Amino acid sequence: MPQELSLPVPDDFHIHLRQGQDLASYAKSAEQQFGRILVMPNTEPPVNSAESVKKYKAEILAAAPSLKVLLTFKLNKNYTEQELLEMRKNGAIAAKYYPLGVTTNSQDGVSQIEDMYPTIELMEKLDLVLCLHGEEPGVFCLDREKKFLKHLEKLIRIFPKLRIVLEHVSSAEAVERVKSLPQNVAATVTVHHFILTLDDIVGDSLRPQNFCKPIPKLPKDKEVLRAAVFSGNNKFFLGTDSAPHALEKKECLCGAAGIYSAPVAIPILIEEFEKENELALLPNFIAGFGADFYKIPRQNKKVTYIKKEWQVPKIIDGAVPLRAGEVLKWDRK
Ligand code: NCD
Ligand code: ZN
């Protein structure tokens, strides 16, 4: 068993850093874990213009100057080619599609994906990536991802060259579909969907801190997801979906969806890959396949982790992190 592990500095291709006062602490904590991040646009107000892309990037960099920051913008209106080019110039590499009301800050989400086709056609032409929150609103919560897959298939039929990422894939059906679609369809995998099932939210006691969208599903779903990653399939790469909410926003009458995983993501992954004897697959999963899919260079910086137990704080930056209070086995040197 290794006692030290040298890894490429990880990329996180799906992270939420929020806005205003909270932004600086979340950005700094991301900076301690990752070299490069793709930041989601569901802030208040949303990132949905060249101006807001530029401003958001500058705010993140002011707090975390060593991070390589890649941006997304919300796909909730049709953009002109000129606007898309300007957003790209300002640092955006992808659009994020949120169906209406499916998750945090999606009140401005889209009710008919077809309404977005004019922009999606331009994105295909410009080779901008489309990131999908792949859940169908209004159906039973555990079926939402499965019921969304018809939209994914239609998209790829109509826009065969479009690069699509099905974000935070959580169901066996979606994993299988991503595998069977062409190479321009990939998926991000979160740390929490890698280790949690519905039991960790409502099995024994109610654990609101594990509540997130899409909801962690059945043991079988988790196994299929893990098997895809442990097969070394390059369509599956890390996007933590680290989504901090203040403790009181999650433990209340109507709790917010989202898990704060950034501070613990890599130590947990090392532990999980080590358990399966698959540590050799970890570099590509955290710092290879995602960059390749996004057609950006892999980073060549390294970071060393050591086997040293540490207890996850009960609260970090006002939010309860994943595995709070538990002991993890690996830490940054
Ligand atoms: C995310 C958030 O809080 O912004 N919440 C979540 O449960 N994953 C939004 C999202 O990615 O769905
Ligand atoms: Zn997210």
Side-chain angles (χ1 to χ4, degrees):
M1 284 289 156
Q3 297 304 305
E4 266 202 19
L5 188 63
S6 169
L7 288 172
V9 174
D11 297 322
D12 184 354
F13 280 101
H14 182 138
I15 191 166
H16 300 268
L17 297 181
R18 313 308 187 197
Q19 65 287 309
Q21 291 199 325
D22 301 326
L23 169 66
S25 45
Y26 298 146
K28 284 194 186 106
S29 111
E31 189 181 30
Q32 285 163 25
Q33 308 298 327
F34 305 105
R36 186 166 50 188
I37 55 173
L38 180 62
V39 189
M40 292 298 122
N42 62 333
T43 46
E44 290 177 305
V47 180
N48 62 359
S49 64
E51 197 54 34
S52 52
V53 167
K54 188 173 176 179
K55 183 162 168 275
Y56 197 34
K57 181 170 177 175
E59 285 167 0
I60 298 165
L61 283 173
S66 76
L67 262 177
K68 292 213 161 31
V69 179
L70 306 165
L71 277 297
T72 57
F73 57 90
K74 254 189 183 176
L75 184 61
N76 59 2
K77 60 182 184 199
N78 280 305
Y79 296 91
T80 63
E81 185 165 351
Q82 190 57 31
E83 285 171 311
L84 292 175
L85 288 168
E86 265 170 46
M87 286 194 282
R88 176 152 79 186
K89 204 176 87 199
N90 290 347
I93 60 167
K96 178 72 184 286
Y97 169 79
Y98 291 98
L100 177 65
V102 286
T103 190
T104 306
N105 296 343
S106 60
Q107 314 83 318
D108 59 354
V110 179
S111 41
Q112 286 286 339
I113 195 164
E114 289 79 5
D115 295 343
M116 299 295 111
Y117 280 4
T119 294
I120 295 176
E121 190 176 349
L122 288 170
M123 289 176 53
E124 182 187 39
K125 176 178 155 197
L126 300 176
D127 202 22
L128 279 163
V129 172
L130 177 62
C131 299
L132 297 174
H133 184 113
E135 289 197 288
E136 180 79 349
V139 299
F140 177 61
C141 62
L142 294 178
D143 293 335
R144 286 179 196 172
E145 189 174 85
K146 186 164 68 187
K147 299 272 189 208
F148 181 85
L149 295 174
K150 59 177 188 275
H151 301 296
L152 172 62
E153 288 191 340
K154 193 168 162 200
L155 274 173
I156 207 69
R157 244 193 345 266
I158 302 178
F159 306 105
K161 294 209 182 78
L162 181 70
R163 280 182 295 147
I164 299 178
V165 180
L166 186 64
E167 298 294 332
H168 36 57
V169 64
S170 68
S171 61
E173 292 85 354
V175 169
E176 296 302 347
R177 202 64 51 92
V178 168
K179 281 203 258 175
S180 69
L181 286 168
Q183 273 305 116
N184 49 325
V185 179
T188 50
V189 177
T190 76
V191 176
H192 48 276
H193 291 104
F194 208 75
I195 59 172
L196 304 180
T197 67
L198 192 52
D199 261 355
D200 297 291
I201 310 173
V202 293
D204 297 320
S205 40
L206 178 63
R207 295 186 183 278
Q209 294 298 342
N210 288 339
F211 171 61
C212 64
K213 299 299 177 76
I215 292 176
K217 299 195 166 53
L218 312 184
K220 179 181 136 263
D221 295 291
K222 187 179 86 174
E223 288 320 311
V224 169
L225 178 63
R226 291 174 70 103
V229 171
F230 291 131
S231 75
N233 188 325
N234 66 357
K235 286 172 157 246
F236 297 87
F237 52 84
L238 178 64
T240 64
D241 192 19
S242 178
H245 293 275
L247 182 149
E248 58 279 10
K249 293 257 172 65
K250 285 192 64 74
E251 299 182 11
C252 57
L253 207 53
C254 191
I259 296 180
Y260 188 27
S261 62
V264 293
I266 302 299
I268 291 176
L269 284 176
I270 299 175
E271 212 170 306
E272 295 298 317
F273 277 64
E274 186 184 30
K275 253 197 290 192
E276 304 285 338
N277 238 323
E278 295 290 8
L279 275 174
L281 294 175
L282 190 55
N284 272 329
F285 179 67
I286 62 172
F289 296 152
D292 299 348
F293 184 84
Y294 275 97
K295 301 186 185 167
I296 53 180
R298 292 185 178 206
Q299 307 244 77
N300 40 30
K301 277 226 223 90
K302 296 272 186 189
V303 57
T304 304
Y305 279 81
I306 49 169
K307 203 163 225 181
K308 180 169 139 257
E309 293 197 339
W310 62 286
Q311 190 179 24
V312 181
K314 295 233 167 74
I315 193 145
I316 305 177
D317 308 322
V320 178
L322 178 62
R323 293 251 155 118
E326 292 179 39
V327 173
L328 299 185
K329 293 200 178 77
W330 288 87
D331 198 2
R332 257 187 89 144
K333 194 172 174 179

